[in-house]
Amino acid sequence: MSTRFPFTAVVGQQDLQLALLLNAVAPNIGGVLVRGEKGTAKSTAVRALAALLPKVEVVAGCRFSCDPASPDPTCPDGPHAGEGAEARDARMVELPVGASEDRLVGALDIERALAEGVKAFEPGLLASANRGILYVDEVNLLHDHLVDVLLDAAAMGASYVEREGVSVRHAARFLLVGTMNPEEGELRPQLLDRFGLTVEVAASREPEQRVEVVRRRLAYDDDPAAFAARWADEERAVRQRIVAARELLPKVRLGDGALKQIAATCAAFEVDGMRADIVMARTATALAAWDGRSDVLAEDVRQAALLALPHRRRRNPFDAPGLDEDKLDQTLQESAGDDDGPDPDGPGGGGGHPSPSPEEGPQGGDAGARPEAGEDGEPQPAAGGAGEQAPARAAEPFRTKALTVPGVGAGAAGRRSRARTERGRTTGAVRPRGALTKLHLAATVRAAAPHQRARGRSGPGLVLRRDDLRQAAREGREGNLVLFVVDASGSMAARQRMSAVKGAVLSLLLDAYQRRDKVGLVTFRGTAAEVALPPTSSVDAAAARLESLPTGGRTPLAAGLLKAHDVLRVERLRDPSRRALLVVVTDGRATGGPEPVALAGRAARLFGAESVASVVVDCESGPVRLGLAGRLAQELGGTAVTLDELRADAIAGLVRDVRGTTSRRAA
């Protein structure tokens, strides 16, 4: 086995190390979600933690790591009465992003279960991780249904596998650690809440600390064993401290004063539900045990809040995680009564990079830097050249109706369009390709019944053959690629109009986040078009690019459409199963170059020929309307909708109508 980088040798990630160690002391905290940019030792620290955990006593030969002192009575390998015990290192099991549900929870041999009544069970990764660490790198890229299964097992401490009435249950208690790069997309708020603690990590900007990181990494690469030996004493000390904290934990007293501070803090930051209060209580208790104390202090409550609340206070997908520490200190002091509260002067804390709350942030909580505004509230012109105007602010987002890609796809799990999926309602039965995962019992019985006499059936069970098995065909929802093509030319540059346009696109981005889509952003202005954001799962990144979008110049509509066509062509090669929805935001004008209108029409017909579902958001305003966006929609084979109609119920079947029009034309 290769020598792991020592946990205590990681530089500059004290918050991350503390969160991991607290979960090692008290696994019922609920795990850690580590958020941060690439190259910040997230995976290195998690993998190093396993070496610090005390050895685990297990029943000899048990595939589910049952505790000899209290074996699981429902263990598939049990009962374990009188069996020997052995000590082994705590395991760290990694869950690959592309794993199947059967790989995660295990699989039953359905054929043997039906024919012989035997529960032949092959354990999955949850069984291997029992009483150890389950590590999910890039957890935000994991399919939603796998995350649901994973977090349910972590909450219940058990895994259930059910196939057509045949079920197996086994213990699954583990320390759950997930890492993610927010640039690649966010987790749903419901799933964020299921992680006990979260930590924001970033590379240090201090030259001395960066030098030390490089020095230690090079020393480790040159001789891993010698480097690990240099840190052996520190590793041993931390290991002993974990054992001592575990022994002290049941004796730690969580007084009424600390509980009042916890409740007041969760109420002040308006977190949903009661899970935050419970996690904070467990974390504060673990902090006291880690410091060798039997009483929880106000400083423990403060640190627990910095670790347990940032990911729970997000009110919408575009809020940055974080906690206003001044507000936290004020709340703790007010709820402490006459007791001394925490020192309000400590700006560092332990919660990564806190952000102002929406109530107290600048400009009412608007994220990102803003151009300087004049007395009329409008940003001053940028110095970016003639004809260019400073970015306009987006209007308030609103709830939009669902835009769906018609037909039935087979893309990644999501919430937008109909698709053939592993989960969802059963629509029929098919012969399985490869391993059987979802048995269609009635269809299997119907296929086997006519052959029972010929196969010499004499007992109560069916005589099954492989050809009799039928797989359930299921229909659910998929995520799509929503590609925005936004006109940023001078004809769109009126402040009020561009603000409304950005508000509409922001609303559609919010809808894309909730429906688990990938998004991309193409803009066109002046003489060319550019890919402002390649297709990504990070809706936050798209919102940030939209916020800083400048306007001005001519309207190269054809260039924007051709650039979008290139983006979709490349994405089809990269992910053929993900269907696209094209959203063109423009007033329909085309200027610049020879025959701009004709060229734009030819570019639009490329999408119509490929039956790409498309919507044109008509941004034309004023008493006189030319109807250019409507003509563009006809060329695309789609439908035009005004900004006002984007809010209306009439948009509900918009893309279905587009597809119906396309189908009739094809016929």
Side-chain angles (χ1 to χ4, degrees), residues 371-381 390-393 494-496 499:
E372 292 295 329
E375 293 184 4
D376 60 353
E378 293 294 338
Q380 298 301 306
R393 288 187 187 177
R495 308 300 299 170
Q496 187 174 3
S499 176

Side-chain angles (χ1 to χ4, degrees), residues 624-661:
V624 179
R625 294 176 179 266
L626 302 178
L628 299 177
R631 295 181 210 168
L632 174 63
Q634 291 178 359
E635 299 283 3
L636 288 166
T639 299
V641 57
T642 66
L643 287 173
D644 290 336
E645 291 170 340
L646 198 58
R647 301 171 180 262
D649 293 338
I651 201 172
L654 181 61
V655 182
R656 288 196 297 275
D657 295 340
V658 172
R659 189 62 169 190
T661 302

Side-chain angles (χ1 to χ4, degrees), residues 59 68 71 79-85:
V59 174
H80 293 306
E83 296 186 19

Side-chain angles (χ1 to χ4, degrees), residues 209-379:
Q209 198 169 74
R210 296 175 75 96
V211 166
E212 186 61 22
V213 170
V214 175
R215 181 181 291 120
R216 293 186 187 184
R217 184 70 211 191
L218 293 178
Y220 171 77
D221 291 340
D222 288 342
D223 192 343
F227 184 81
R230 285 171 46 195
W231 292 89
D233 291 342
E234 288 83 350
E235 295 281 287
R236 188 179 306 109
V238 172
R239 190 179 299 110
Q240 293 171 351
R241 190 174 175 184
I242 292 174
V243 173
R246 285 184 174 182
E247 294 175 351
L248 179 59
L249 186 64
K251 305 172 186 176
V252 174
R253 177 181 173 273
L254 182 65
D256 290 342
L259 278 173
K260 181 180 177 182
Q261 287 184 314
I262 290 171
T265 301
C266 292
F269 284 97
E270 300 180 352
V271 296
D272 296 330
M274 295 298 299
R275 185 174 284 117
D277 303 63
I278 296 170
V279 171
M280 274 190 64
R282 290 171 175 169
T283 305
T285 304
L287 279 162
W290 178 249
D291 285 341
R293 291 182 275 102
S294 58
D295 287 298
V296 173
L297 305 180
E299 63 194 54
D300 299 323
V301 176
R302 184 180 193 276
Q303 182 67 58
L306 291 170
L307 292 171
L309 296 188
H311 59 305
R312 292 185 166 92
R313 61 155 295 274
R314 286 173 59 122
R315 311 313 298 175
N316 68 64
F318 307 129
D319 288 338
L323 219 58
D324 183 345
E325 295 194 35
D326 290 337
K327 181 178 179 180
L328 172 62
D329 291 331
Q330 180 181 354
T331 301
L332 291 174
Q333 288 180 342
E334 290 175 351
S335 60
D338 296 332
D339 296 336
D340 291 335
D343 181 5
D345 298 327
H353 302 272
S355 301
S357 66
E359 298 83 3
E360 299 183 15
Q363 302 289 342
D366 289 335
R370 302 283 190 182
E372 292 295 329
E375 293 184 4
D376 60 353
E378 293 294 338

Side-chain angles (χ1 to χ4, degrees), residues 8 17-18 42 53 56 60 96 233 245 249 302 314 316-317 345 357 368 378 399 478 510 512 537 557 570 609:
T8 51
Q17 291 171 303
L18 178 61
K42 300 189 298 293
L53 298 182
V56 179
D233 291 342
L249 186 64
R302 184 180 193 276
R314 286 173 59 122
N316 68 64
D345 298 327
S357 66
E378 293 294 338
R399 187 171 182 272
E478 67 177 0
L510 180 59
S537 297
L557 177 57
V570 172

Side-chain angles (χ1 to χ4, degrees), residues 377-429:
E378 293 294 338
Q380 298 301 306
E388 180 174 315
Q389 299 186 22
R393 288 187 187 177
E396 284 297 314
F398 52 86
R399 187 171 182 272
T400 67
K401 291 291 185 177
L403 303 177
T404 60
V405 178
V408 181
R415 294 185 171 186
R416 183 172 295 278
S417 305
R418 294 171 56 200
R420 293 179 293 274
T421 60
E422 291 186 0
R423 296 169 65 88
R425 64 186 183 90
T426 300
T427 59

